[in-house]
Amino acid sequence: MAELMLREAILQTLFSEMERDENVVVLGEDIVGGMGTEGGPEAIGGIWGTSTGLYDRFGGDRVIDTPISESAIIGAAGGLGLTGKRPVAEIMFADFLGVCMDQIWNQMAKFRYMFGGKTECPAVVRMIYGAGLNAAAQHSQAPHGILTSMPGLKVVMPSTPADAKGLLTTAIRDQDPVIFLEHKALYAEKGEVPDGDYTIPFGHARLAHAGEDVTIVAAGLMVKFSIKAAQGLAEKGIGCDVIDLRTTSPLDEEAILDSVENTGRLVVVDESPPRCGLATDIVSLVTQKAYASLKAPPEMVTSPHTPVPFARELEKAYLPSPGKIADAVERTLAWK
Amino acid sequence: MQISEDALKQAYRQMKTIRMFEERLHDEIMTGEIAGFTHLYAGQEAVAVGVCEHLDYNDTIASTHRGHGHCIAKGCDVRGMMLEIYGRADGICKGKGGSMHIADIEKGMLGANGIVGGGPPIVVGAALAAKLYGDGRLAVAFSGDGACNQGTTFEAMNLAVVTNAPAIFAFENNHYSEHTGVAYAVGSEDIASRAESFGMKAWRVDGCDFFKVYETMGEVVDHVRAGKGPAAVEFDTERFFGHFEGDPQNYRGEGEIARLRKERDCITIFREHAAKNKLVSKKDLDAIDKEVSDLIDKSVEESRAAAPPTAEDVLTDVYIDYI
């Protein structure tokens, strides 16, 4: 075990998977940084610190610094995947999904189905997502809901450094296209990370906090907020299960339903706006499959139906928070 | 460029197979038996064949919505393609893709594509993989004059140049993007000059003359296999049918299609050139016509009788492994 920041866990995993399998190739904007400048390659080393040193170790054929061309990045990842490589593409800000949607939605996600199950595209698309850094409307969104709705993709949202390692390792070794969402506000989060080969299977949620009264379901940064809320509520004698989904596609329905059957109360926390998203999806699942267990209407703690605002005060008002989550838990307990 | 008689016969067979496949589909679609949207390649055969005859199965291509010709030229099973277009369980994509999504990775065919401009970025990826394999293989993106206006095509060309990827951008200018003329839709003088402006070498060639296409592609393929970077070729070619089957084509000029079939038919041009230069006998070419005609008849007959997929098949092949 070593204590690492989440971003370090990502970098270490890329390093070890590139060492382990020569077919692993990484590509993205400025993942080397400094190409074509006086400073030279690695002058920056990747703006997130998640690719620093890869170019020096593995060279430019496997660590491909691309121009700002998201469609070409994702398309190239698709082509590399179809022809026997294991690309790991980086989309610097998940908001740029808007630029490369076709290559994800119409191409990569559908190859296998359209082609009658005869192809494999083991591509990983790492996207850095989320609000909390006052990066405003085009550099802060959480697009997991859109991506989870797309058949053919798997969607991963790690919340701890250990999970980042275990889930990214699984993603790179997986045979299907995987979207790997890294929350920028979690990059400096520290935690113990297992040494050596470490994988976490997809579709298995983690019980991040245990309690008997209310089930809280969350993913990514929202897990951290939910744990904080649960810890505060525990001091008041209120027990919460916090279910960290880890992957939103596939979804561990069983973990959610088992917990709700025990607690009878559900709070879903989602960083994205409320319509047609992860929160509505989980509420729908529970009302359809565990209706009889519910003692109160499910609660959703989400961002509002607005773009992500800039100013500190506005962004704070926009995002779910431990306080908002605790309030929702108390509302569901007070329901008669 | 020297081509053996056998190679010429093979090229002719491929061109003729595409032509008869498409002409037959045109007739069969009229019967209402075939569902969906179909875009026919007839008229452009010399391009697909003239390019693909230089490739082997390690080389990859990505195609377009007008993809049947590229599929056949790259070696996809004709019978399997016909079954697919009829939506049958034994189709090359089990009836899940249809006309616009035929692919065969084993043959290096990375898929027809329903999205105009969808293929070039994928081809750059295949070319980057080819570079890593390091055995001289390459990847070809077939695009039309429509796709040459898509941003994805520009991004792909630039990325290919920046990474020195062994990619060929094959632009088939058939003068129509859907129902719009190239004179309106392409702002530059031609398409090849766009590729040149991205920093790659580009060729221009008459796409209705197999011999010219084949000879030019020899140079292009040599250039790319030698690691000299990506290349582009603009083919001046003709589309004998509409954008899709059912297109009224009221935007075509008076007598235009009849004139194209008379003056710009790549099959006729091939036969005339072969006769004039005594390359292949008429008898041999007629025998190939008969052989191809039988293959198409048989494929249609079999496709008509073949079983459709079942409702359960909807759910398979989304993932390799899910829960």
Side-chain angles (χ1 to χ4, degrees):
Chain A
M1 288 282 209
E3 188 177 71
L4 295 178
M5 287 193 284
L6 193 144
R7 69 152 61 89
E8 293 169 330
I10 298 286
L11 176 60
Q12 277 200 2
T13 305
L14 290 173
F15 243 105
S16 57
E17 288 305 293
M18 290 189 79
E19 290 282 7
R20 178 180 174 271
D21 182 351
E22 64 171 20
N23 285 320
V24 178
V25 173
V26 300
L27 67 161
E29 295 158 16
D30 266 328
I31 61 165
V32 178
M35 302 293 276
T37 68
E38 277 190 31
E42 292 277 21
I44 293 276
I47 72 152
W48 299 112
T50 51
S51 52
T52 316
L54 295 177
Y55 178 87
D56 283 346
R57 172 67 188 86
F58 301 104
D61 284 350
R62 290 180 66 197
V63 182
I64 304 164
D65 194 291
T66 68
I68 301 173
S69 303
E70 284 83 7
S71 290
I73 294 168
I74 302 302
L80 281 155
L82 278 180
T83 54
K85 297 295 172 187
R86 292 187 176 276
V88 182
E90 178 180 296
I91 295 297
M92 191 186 279
F93 288 89
D95 313 67
F96 307 162
L97 171 64
V99 188
C100 56
M101 182 75 103
D102 181 69
Q103 286 294 338
I104 291 179
W105 185 43
N106 275 321
Q107 311 292 343
M108 183 185 283
K110 295 175 182 167
F111 285 150
R112 186 169 175 80
Y113 194 79
M114 293 189 298
F115 303 159
K118 288 175 191 160
T119 61
E120 297 182 2
C121 187
V124 177
V125 181
R126 295 177 44 237
M127 292 187 182
I128 292 76
Y129 84 102
L133 270 66
N134 309 109
Q138 295 172 342
H139 289 75
S140 300
Q141 294 167 96
H144 53 277
I146 301 168
L147 292 157
T148 302
S149 76
M150 295 178 188
L153 298 179
K154 294 173 181 173
V155 181
V156 185
M157 300 177 75
S159 68
T160 68
D163 277 15
K165 173 175 178 173
L167 292 166
L168 183 57
T169 307
T170 303
I172 293 170
R173 297 181 191 177
D174 198 271
Q175 290 302 106
D176 291 309
V178 178
I179 307 291
F180 195 87
L181 290 161
E182 299 163 21
H183 202 295
K184 57 178 86 70
L186 285 175
Y187 264 160
E189 196 76 4
K190 284 184 180 165
E192 292 291 323
V193 176
D195 299 324
D197 210 61
Y198 179 56
T199 57
I200 297 171
F202 290 166
H204 292 269
R206 175 177 77 102
L207 187 63
H209 189 277
E212 296 291 318
D213 302 314
V214 178
T215 299
I216 305 176
V217 177
L221 178 68
M222 296 301 105
V223 173
K224 181 182 168 181
F225 290 180
S226 298
I227 293 170
K228 201 162 178 202
Q231 286 167 343
L233 289 161
E235 286 169 18
K236 292 185 182 179
I238 299 167
C240 297
D241 269 357
V242 174
I243 295 178
D244 175 357
L245 291 175
R246 284 177 160 164
T247 62
T248 56
S249 177
L251 180 70
D252 188 349
E253 295 189 3
E254 204 181 320
I256 299 166
L257 297 172
D258 282 354
S259 175
V260 172
E261 276 158 18
N262 185 42
T263 62
R265 291 181 167 87
L266 174 69
V267 174
V268 188
V269 187
D270 189 3
E271 179 169 344
S272 55
R275 300 290 315 281
C276 299
L278 182 64
T280 53
D281 190 57
I282 306 289
V283 167
S284 159
L285 168 79
V286 168
T287 50
Q288 288 176 74
K289 295 195 177 171
Y291 185 72
S293 305
L294 286 171
K295 297 172 190 162
E299 285 279 342
M300 302 199 324
V301 183
T302 69
S303 299
H305 191 67
T306 69
V308 185
F310 162 65
R312 287 190 185 87
E313 296 74 12
L314 293 176
E315 193 186 56
K316 195 174 164 213
Y318 172 90
L319 269 182
S321 65
K324 291 177 191 173
I325 298 165
D327 289 349
V329 168
E330 300 212 37
R331 272 199 306 277
T332 184
L333 282 164
W335 192 83
K336 291 214 169 41
Chain B
M1 176 176 270
Q2 287 295 313
I3 322 175
S4 73
E5 193 183 336
D6 280 350
L8 275 179
K9 282 196 219 164
Q10 169 61 12
Y12 179 80
R13 182 180 291 108
Q14 293 288 67
M15 286 170 60
K16 195 71 190 188
T17 305
I18 298 168
R19 176 64 57 86
M20 286 193 174
F21 192 93
E22 300 295 60
E23 300 273 11
R24 185 64 182 267
L25 272 179
H26 178 72
D27 293 342
E28 296 300 331
I29 284 164
M30 300 288 191
T31 69
E33 242 183 299
I34 296 169
F37 296 122
T38 317
H39 310 81
L40 301 181
Y41 189 75
Q44 304 180 207
E45 293 87 346
V47 178
V49 176
V51 173
C52 291
E53 285 303 301
H54 285 283
L55 310 180
D56 67 27
Y57 292 155
N58 279 334
D59 300 313
T60 51
I61 67 166
S63 170
T64 71
H65 58 289
R66 199 173 305 289
H68 303 165
H70 309 125
C71 294
I72 291 171
K74 196 68 175 60
C76 292
D77 177 43
V78 170
R79 178 186 150 273
M81 284 177 61
M82 191 65 86
L83 283 159
E84 184 62 31
I85 292 164
Y86 270 83
R88 303 309 190 206
D90 288 338
I92 199 164
C93 302
K94 301 187 196 166
K96 283 176 170 159
S99 165
M100 275 188 282
H101 306 298
I102 293 169
D104 188 346
I105 300 295
E106 298 292 309
K107 301 280 171 64
M109 170 53 197
L110 303 182
N113 206 310
I115 306 298
V116 173
I122 297 167
V123 158
V124 177
L128 289 167
K131 199 171 145 193
L132 282 160
Y133 289 117
D135 55 8
R137 71 182 72 179
L138 54 78
V140 182
F142 286 99
S143 308
D145 47 289
C148 89
N149 289 328
Q150 287 280 36
T152 48
T153 307
F154 299 160
E155 287 191 20
M157 287 196 284
N158 185 59
L159 182 58
V161 170
V162 167
T163 56
N164 198 42
I168 296 172
F169 298 89
F171 291 105
E172 294 178 76
N173 184 351
N174 65 16
H175 315 291
Y176 291 100
S177 51
E178 299 185 6
H179 323 282
T180 299
V182 70
Y184 174 83
V186 176
S188 55
E189 198 169 315
D190 62 6
I191 301 169
S193 58
R194 290 187 177 183
E196 283 163 345
S197 74
F198 280 101
M200 72 181 84
K201 200 168 172 193
W203 282 257
R204 296 156 178 85
V205 63
D206 179 0
C208 292
D209 184 331
F210 168 82
F211 295 91
K212 288 181 185 160
V213 172
Y214 187 82
E215 188 175 352
T216 302
M217 286 312 299
E219 288 174 33
V220 177
V221 165
D222 284 350
H223 171 92
V224 175
R225 288 204 203 282
K228 293 179 185 166
V233 192
E234 179 175 353
F235 301 95
D236 180 9
T237 184
E238 311 294 348
R239 193 183 81 194
F240 286 178
F241 291 107
H243 164 55
F244 63 98
E245 283 307 277
D247 177 357
Q249 297 199 75
N250 45 9
Y251 50 88
R252 295 269 202 171
E254 180 89 32
E256 178 186 328
I257 294 168
R259 180 182 58 77
L260 293 177
R261 283 191 179 264
K262 187 159 175 277
E263 297 169 7
R264 296 278 288 155
D265 184 336
C266 59
I267 306 268
T268 311
I269 293 169
F270 183 102
R271 275 181 164 263
E272 283 170 356
H273 183 98
K276 195 173 149 200
N277 297 283
K278 299 189 172 43
L279 300 172
V280 194
S281 73
K282 181 175 180 299
K283 192 176 145 231
D284 283 352
L285 295 179
D286 289 345
I288 290 171
D289 285 358
K290 173 75 176 65
E291 205 182 293
V292 170
S293 175
D294 290 348
L295 171 67
I296 302 296
D297 282 349
K298 206 165 155 262
S299 300
V300 169
E301 208 175 298
E302 194 185 338
S303 298
R304 277 194 186 131
T310 64
E312 290 79 54
D313 296 331
V314 172
L315 302 178
T316 58
D317 300 323
V318 183
Y319 298 93
I320 292 168
D321 181 31
Y322 201 63
I323 55 167

